[in-house]
Amino acid sequence: MGDVHRKALEEDLLKLIDILRLCIVKVENFNPRTQETFYKEINDLITYFNNIDRLREHFNFPIPLQLLKYIDQGINPEVYKKQCVDLCLANNQKIKGKIDSIALFRNILEEEIQKTFPEQLAEYKKIKNSC
């Protein structure tokens, strides 16, 4: 994704948001005298939507379906991000626990092998250290 395309997309999105706000105000305070400017703003909306659609080919990243569902339900996308990060942290803790358990098991197993087969363990350590 090029920096130029990203900036163009940001600018078009900001302009689109501004025009949408203006349209909302004009619809809420409808006045036949402002109808021509309202039509112009509708045409501007179409222009910016077309610009955004053209910029789409420069961006290639998947948008999770769950994120779109959150947006459709009126939930802030930041909530989705926070839940994803929390889930990743929880999974990271589980995996860290498994790694720690395996390391502890390896140490206990090595101690027991040392007690039972000290000569073989010494030979194993020589071979392991030489590699």
Side-chain angles (χ1 to χ4, degrees):
M1 158 172 67
D3 200 37
V4 172
H5 300 298
R6 184 185 58 80
K7 286 187 187 253
L9 179 62
E10 285 178 13
E11 289 172 7
D12 284 348
L13 286 171
L14 289 173
K15 289 175 185 174
L16 182 71
I17 291 168
D18 286 341
I19 293 171
L20 282 170
R21 286 184 185 140
L22 289 172
C23 288
I24 289 170
V25 169
K26 291 213 170 136
V27 167
E28 288 176 347
N29 304 315
F30 183 74
N31 184 342
R33 289 180 291 156
T34 61
Q35 193 166 356
E36 287 300 318
T37 58
F38 179 67
Y39 289 151
K40 181 197 172 302
E41 288 164 359
I42 294 295
N43 286 329
D44 289 345
L45 275 176
I46 293 167
T47 300
Y48 286 114
F49 275 123
N50 285 333
N51 290 347
I52 291 168
D53 188 55
R54 272 188 241 108
L55 287 169
R56 154 179 72 121
E57 67 189 38
H58 300 287
F59 300 91
N60 186 20
F61 51 86
I63 297 173
L65 186 59
Q66 188 65 30
L67 175 61
L68 297 176
K69 288 179 182 176
Y70 272 58
I71 293 169
D72 286 343
Q73 295 170 356
I75 300 172
N76 188 336
E78 292 294 319
V79 172
Y80 175 78
K81 181 181 84 170
K82 183 181 180 324
Q83 288 176 345
C84 286
V85 169
D86 290 345
L87 182 63
C88 287
L89 289 173
N91 285 336
N92 188 28
Q93 289 292 43
K94 284 181 189 176
I95 291 172
K96 183 182 180 315
K98 289 178 182 181
I99 291 170
D100 292 346
S101 295
I102 290 171
L104 180 63
F105 174 73
R106 181 184 55 83
N107 292 339
I108 292 171
L109 181 63
E110 188 176 323
E111 288 173 9
E112 292 299 318
I113 291 174
Q114 177 66 37
K115 291 177 189 174
T116 311
F117 305 105
E119 294 169 4
Q120 289 84 356
L121 184 61
E123 189 174 325
Y124 163 75
K125 285 184 178 182
K126 281 183 195 175
I127 294 170
K128 181 181 166 190
N129 291 334
S130 67
C131 292

